[in-house]
Amino acid sequence: MSKGLQERIGAGMEVRTTPPGPRGYPLVGILLRMRKDPLGFLTEAARRYGDVVSLKMGPMQAYLLSHPDHIQHVLQDHHRNYRKSRFVERVKPFLGEGLATSEGETWKMQRRLAQPAFHRQQIAALASVVTQTVEDTLDQWRAPSDEPVDMLRQMMLLTGDIILRTMFGASGRDLGRPVLDDFDAVTRYCMDRMLAMIDWNSFLPTLKRRRFRAAMDRLDRAVHEIITARRRCGEARDDLLSMLLLARDGESGVQMTDQQLRDEVMTIFFAGHETTGLALTWSWYLLSQHPEAEQRLHQELAQVLHGRPPTFDDLPRLTYTRMVIEESMRLYPPSWIISRAPICDDDIGGFRIPSGATVFLSQYVTHRHPKLWDAPQRFDPERFAPDRAADRPRFAYFPFSGGPRQCLGDQFAMMEAQLVVARLAQAYRFRLLPGPPITAQPLLTLRPRDGLRMIVEPRAESA
């Protein structure tokens, strides 16, 4: 029983046992409704029942928390009472015991070992890799073509190429699309498992499982071969893998094993490829729908860059560029939901949250909370101007999670996204191809369903 719960009971204060929530069906509860439209269902549940909602999902009791104070309670103030939920087991075949999935002392040591690789000076050193990769992409795009492109696919290829080069240095270029295709297959398999009522793919030899195993074997083999070669030559290089290889825990003096390195490589690859690629994809979609914001972006790029490509030193002055990305991640957060499980009973918002339950914290829901955001459905990058953001609760916006387990690569991701948006927007305008409305597909990450087909128009004033 948590200290807060004990104090409330001792003081004779009411602790309501069960929060309100939607009624479900016998046996399955709200699982069918959740699977049909997770975003709409959770958003409506928070609007109708409040900031703490009870969700009966088959045999599992879950709670949706959407108030910033409650999110801060779980992720920061009382984080020691919360561990990863049972859903994390469904991605461990892919991510192993990396920073995103490990717990306790294992996680603490991994965090200490990995943190130096993401210090500001290291991020600045890797910025030139980002800019060169974008230039290589532009060279490919300059080949004449009137065909529309799938910007989801293009941004995934670009961020995948960036993370391969920043992770493995020059050798990352040689891995190329086969590795990215295998990575995409593995990611999609894990996405399919996340909301499965019965996880058939975990024990039946389905076609999806066989394809996953084949792709996973190829990825593991490629990563282990690079790690073995690096250990053998002992050469220090200016890439993330070298930083992880040389990292030594200040408390224990130990270094990462090959298996730990593999797990961190997969975790960083996922965070630096999937989520950043989606943030960029949604940014192009929203800019295409809001010409006034696109014009403001072009004005800033012209005033700051004067036609030359952006560099790391330009980032502090590309403020509107950053606000566009932040607002895109508010409306379409790539990581759209977090789950945790309390170790001991807790008290949140006057309700008892029992140990063993599952707690959902949804960026998508909180980022659209009508009491936190004016006209929450509207795309308005100016929300993130310093004067408007100053009084906003810390956890009203948490695209990179928060507390001790906040994404270690958040600054790298924002650096990368700013440079990519700035450089591509200098050279091109992106127009949405006419067709069915773009809808969000909430799987492991928040993707545009069926991709994002766009017309790429060269800008006459581009560099």
Side-chain angles (χ1 to χ4, degrees):
M1 183 180 299
S2 72
K3 182 179 179 181
L5 185 58
Q6 291 175 330
E7 290 174 349
R8 290 176 68 85
I9 294 174
M13 300 174 66
E14 179 186 7
V15 179
R16 292 162 287 178
T17 303
T18 304
R23 296 181 62 183
Y25 300 106
L27 298 179
V28 298
I30 54 89
L31 267 175
L32 297 179
R33 296 164 66 187
M34 180 75 169
R35 283 181 58 83
K36 183 179 179 181
D37 179 17
L39 301 178
F41 174 75
L42 292 177
T43 301
E44 174 60 19
R47 184 199 67 79
R48 182 173 180 181
Y49 297 104
D51 291 327
V52 183
V53 181
S54 175
L55 302 171
K56 186 64 175 174
M57 303 174 66
M60 182 180 74
Q61 178 60 54
Y63 302 89
L64 172 67
L65 310 180
S66 55
H67 194 280
D69 291 349
H70 302 158
I71 296 164
Q72 180 172 329
H73 176 97
V74 172
L75 295 182
Q76 181 171 299
D77 297 345
H78 295 267
H79 69 92
R80 290 185 178 85
N81 188 44
Y82 287 84
R83 62 177 60 185
K84 295 280 185 172
S85 76
R86 68 192 72 183
F87 290 102
V88 77
E89 297 300 323
R90 298 188 178 186
V91 296
K92 279 193 174 183
F94 171 29
L95 301 181
E97 291 290 338
L99 280 171
T101 55
S102 59
E103 300 276 6
E105 292 304 316
T106 299
W107 171 79
K108 289 179 183 178
M109 187 180 73
Q110 289 291 91
R111 181 90 177 189
R112 291 195 300 266
L113 285 166
Q115 197 153 7
F118 294 95
H119 285 169
R120 178 179 171 80
Q121 61 268 30
Q122 301 295 350
I123 293 173
L126 294 171
S128 60
V129 179
V130 175
T131 55
Q132 183 56 56
T133 309
V134 177
E135 292 303 320
D136 292 346
T137 297
L138 286 174
D139 288 341
Q140 297 172 15
W141 285 12
R142 287 184 180 117
S145 175
D146 296 327
E147 292 296 318
V149 301
D150 180 359
M151 286 301 287
L152 173 61
R153 172 68 173 167
Q154 293 300 318
M155 291 302 100
M156 288 300 180
L157 288 173
L158 174 56
T159 57
D161 198 7
I162 288 172
I163 200 63
L164 283 174
R165 296 188 192 190
T166 54
M167 176 65 71
F168 301 120
S171 61
R173 302 178 189 179
D174 301 330
L175 296 174
R177 291 199 178 186
V179 164
L180 297 180
D181 289 340
D182 281 339
F183 187 86
D184 186 65
V186 167
T187 302
R188 287 182 177 274
Y189 172 83
C190 292
M191 288 177 176
D192 288 342
R193 293 184 63 191
M194 289 304 289
L195 284 178
M197 287 187 288
I198 301 176
D199 189 15
W200 300 110
N201 282 316
S202 66
F203 53 88
L204 292 180
T206 62
L207 179 60
K208 284 185 178 181
R209 178 171 172 79
R210 292 198 300 271
R211 288 174 176 171
F212 163 77
R213 283 285 12 134
M216 195 71 257
D217 288 344
R218 288 191 293 267
L219 285 176
D220 279 335
R221 187 161 53 249
V223 170
H224 280 300
E225 284 176 358
I226 293 175
I227 291 172
T228 300
R230 287 290 187 90
R231 287 204 189 277
R232 186 181 299 121
C233 74
E235 178 185 355
R237 303 182 187 179
D238 294 330
D239 56 40
L240 290 173
L241 180 59
S242 282
M243 296 176 203
L244 296 176
L245 277 164
L246 296 173
R248 188 178 295 274
D249 182 29
E251 294 186 14
S252 64
V254 303
Q255 292 180 288
M256 288 192 195
T257 65
D258 284 358
Q259 185 61 43
Q260 287 173 321
L261 279 167
R262 176 266 178 214
D263 293 347
E264 293 309 333
V265 165
M266 292 299 183
T267 299
I268 294 170
F269 203 114
F270 174 75
H273 167 48
E274 177 80 15
T275 56
T276 307
L278 287 172
L280 291 167
T281 301
W282 287 117
S283 294
W284 298 127
Y285 166 67
L286 289 164
L287 285 169
S288 75
Q289 301 303 291
H290 299 85
E292 70 289 347
E294 182 187 43
Q295 182 179 10
R296 171 76 186 277
L297 171 66
H298 289 154
Q299 289 173 347
E300 177 178 86
L301 297 178
Q303 292 169 1
V304 173
L305 301 176
H306 305 288
R308 61 174 175 77
T311 68
F312 181 82
D313 292 335
D314 294 315
L315 297 182
R317 293 182 295 157
L318 294 174
T319 55
Y320 192 77
T321 306
R322 183 182 180 96
M323 289 191 291
V324 164
I325 298 163
E326 289 174 323
E327 175 69 344
S328 297
M329 290 194 295
R330 182 188 71 83
L331 284 169
Y332 297 102
S335 297
W336 67 279
I337 196 166
I338 297 170
S339 61
R340 292 287 189 269
I343 299 170
C344 300
D345 291 2
D346 205 353
D347 168 24
I348 298 179
F351 296 104
R352 175 178 172 269
I353 308 297
S355 64
T358 297
V359 171
F360 290 124
L361 317 169
S362 173
Q363 291 96 325
Y364 185 91
V365 173
T366 299
H367 289 184
R368 295 166 182 257
H369 198 304
K371 293 182 180 179
L372 301 171
W373 307 91
D374 178 49
Q377 305 293 339
R378 187 178 68 217
F379 178 66
D380 179 12
E382 291 290 343
R383 297 179 197 275
F384 291 91
D387 57 332
R388 289 180 61 180
D391 297 330
R392 189 176 300 138
R394 163 64 184 86
F395 283 88
Y397 181 73
F398 59 113
F400 297 103
S401 187
R405 297 196 73 130
Q406 179 163 326
C407 175
L408 194 58
D410 57 348
Q411 294 184 50
F412 179 88
M414 286 305 302
M415 175 272 288
E416 177 185 354
Q418 272 185 281
L419 290 174
V420 171
V421 168
R423 187 65 185 107
L424 294 187
Q426 277 186 315
Y428 295 101
R429 285 188 173 91
F430 303 97
R431 297 287 177 256
L432 188 65
L433 200 67
I438 301 299
T439 58
Q441 185 178 25
L443 298 169
L444 185 58
T445 52
L446 194 63
R447 289 186 166 214
R449 192 183 302 272
D450 302 320
L452 185 69
R453 291 175 60 78
M454 306 190 86
I455 302 295
V456 179
E457 298 178 351
R459 293 185 63 216
E461 64 271 32
S462 65

